[in-house]
Amino acid sequence: MNFRTSVGLMGSVLVGMGIWAASASAQSEALQGALRPGAGDALSLSWRQGLPDGERTQLSIDAGVAKVERCSPACQPIGRPLLLSPGQKEQILSGLRSASLLDLRSSDEAEMTADRELRLSVPTRPPLKLQLPKSEWPLGPDGQGIAGLLDDLILKIVQAGSARPQVTVPRTIEELAELKLQLTVTTQQQPGGVLVIEHGTLSITPEEGSLPRKPRPKPTARLLSPVEQEQLLTVLRLLDFDRLEESIPVRARPAIGDDDGRLVTLHLLPASSVATPSAKVAGRGSLSISKATMTPTQTAPTVVPKQPRGLKRYMADWVRSPAEPVVRLLASWLLLHSPKKIE
């Protein structure tokens, strides 16, 4: 081999090493960007429990929502998707950073021994794929590590899926008939009270604040009209109850500028079991019973035991949240003044 050829080969090796180093550096920078603190909403990964050719459980995280599937070999969802809290997202990002993923290599016999697989999306780069037995995943400073953290998240979703399901936010008249909706407004200077909608009946128990109304309103009950039921369903269809807890701030006291200061609790509960919905309707000087009309083919709704939902926040925060249409409609039926948005 002459000198010129040797120099050429050496140059090719150096160029190759330079390209590899540049590629590794770019991958490292892209991974650091994907796992930076605060990047939880953009995180996209999948985590497999079990061997690839057997029964396995698959966790996927995308846009801050975690889902679990059981595959054998076809995949079926387990439980309900979990909206990750800010703390959970940061914990997962921290676990991924502490695992030093670029220093790991998949097992040589991955198909036979690697009962855990991580696929992590990295912007502008190919996805990062690692297959290792659970015992070979590194532990973090807390003694758990990313493998234990993702396994625990699967367990949490599976256990929640076997628990009593939560009340469904109604989308149809039939689902509305299976629901008891209750709005409770505390009194301050302004009035409050309790509004209940159940089996098509609207019941109102007003309460006076330190500035009583004249004439003082009395408890009433009546049947919701078909138009009012559609109004209610329209605003409920816009309600993402699973995200409300995050979207409405928790305050120990009213926000600056909130001179209303009333607290509002919205409850969704299973409706009681009744054969024929009826309502006490206010008449002149008395209350009479009015029964809802049902066609011969209609039957009383079957009530499946479900877990209630509830959220308590200041009214001023409710009306500047995605739940504003629901609260404003119910407050109008309760004959309450709801405050304007506070900027």
Side-chain angles (χ1 to χ4, degrees):
M1 182 182 299
N2 58 36
F3 177 76
R4 185 170 298 178
T5 302
S6 299
V7 171
L9 289 173
M10 182 64 70
S12 299
V13 170
L14 292 176
V15 169
M17 292 178 62
I19 294 174
W20 178 86
S23 176
S25 176
Q27 186 177 23
S28 177
E29 290 179 4
L31 184 61
Q32 289 176 10
L35 302 182
R36 72 186 187 281
D41 287 335
L43 184 65
S44 179
L45 66 81
S46 66
W47 176 254
R48 187 199 74 215
Q49 275 185 350
L51 296 175
D53 58 350
E55 184 174 334
R56 60 201 184 278
T57 304
Q58 195 86 13
L59 168 72
S60 63
I61 297 176
D62 191 50
V65 177
K67 301 178 183 179
V68 173
E69 293 180 317
R70 183 71 48 77
C71 305
S72 179
C75 295
Q76 297 292 332
I78 301 178
R80 299 173 62 252
L82 175 65
L83 179 65
L84 298 175
S85 68
Q88 287 173 316
K89 287 181 279 193
E90 290 303 316
Q91 189 178 20
I92 293 171
L93 288 170
S94 176
L96 291 168
R97 290 195 299 268
S98 65
S100 301
L101 299 177
L102 292 181
D103 295 334
L104 299 179
R105 295 291 181 270
S106 293
S107 170
D108 293 335
E109 299 179 346
E111 294 184 358
M112 293 185 293
T113 64
D115 58 355
R116 297 295 187 274
E117 178 188 271
L118 173 69
R119 289 177 180 263
L120 177 65
S121 295
V122 182
T124 72
R125 307 293 300 176
L128 179 64
K129 177 181 175 181
L130 293 169
Q131 296 175 303
L132 290 167
K134 183 181 179 181
S135 59
E136 294 184 15
W137 285 89
L139 298 179
D142 58 357
Q144 183 180 36
I146 189 61
L149 183 62
L150 296 178
D151 282 354
D152 285 351
L153 185 55
I154 289 177
L155 181 61
K156 180 177 181 178
I157 295 175
V158 171
Q159 289 178 338
S162 62
R164 190 164 50 135
Q166 287 186 313
V167 166
T168 303
V169 178
R171 298 291 186 264
T172 65
I173 294 293
E174 292 74 21
E175 291 176 350
L176 184 61
E178 298 178 0
L179 178 78
K180 176 180 179 181
L181 186 151
Q182 180 171 305
L183 184 82
T184 304
V185 182
T186 64
T187 59
Q188 296 292 335
Q189 288 187 350
Q190 299 293 328
V194 179
L195 175 148
V196 176
I197 296 173
E198 185 176 19
H199 297 306
T201 301
L202 170 64
S203 303
I204 294 174
T205 305
E207 294 183 11
E208 296 302 273
S210 58
L211 299 174
R213 290 170 286 187
K214 295 181 181 180
R216 184 185 293 265
K218 297 179 180 180
T220 60
R222 63 177 176 83
L223 294 174
L224 282 176
S225 70
V227 173
E228 288 173 324
Q229 291 187 50
E230 286 299 333
Q231 280 183 304
L232 180 58
L233 285 172
T234 298
V235 294
L236 287 175
R237 290 186 188 108
L238 302 174
L239 189 64
D240 188 347
F241 213 97
D242 294 325
R243 293 181 180 268
L244 276 183
E245 191 166 355
E246 275 195 21
S247 63
I248 307 179
V250 180
R251 304 186 194 275
R253 57 185 61 85
I256 296 174
D258 178 9
D259 56 1
D260 179 68
R262 287 175 295 179
L263 285 165
V264 175
T265 305
L266 178 63
H267 271 118
L268 303 181
L269 308 104
S272 59
S273 178
V274 296
T276 304
S278 61
K280 293 180 179 180
V281 181
R284 291 186 177 179
S286 64
L287 292 177
S288 61
I289 300 297
S290 173
K291 294 184 178 180
T293 57
M294 299 182 72
T295 63
T297 58
Q298 285 180 311
T299 58
T302 302
V303 179
V304 179
K306 291 186 178 181
Q307 184 176 346
R309 297 171 182 258
L311 193 62
K312 184 177 183 179
R313 295 290 190 270
Y314 283 101
M315 180 177 280
D317 291 327
W318 276 106
V319 299
R320 59 179 178 182
S321 78
E324 176 188 6
V326 177
V327 173
R328 286 200 179 275
L329 177 63
L330 298 178
S332 71
W333 289 346
L334 192 52
L335 302 177
L336 296 181
H337 166 69
S338 56
K340 296 180 180 179
K341 292 185 180 181
I342 301 172
E343 301 299 335

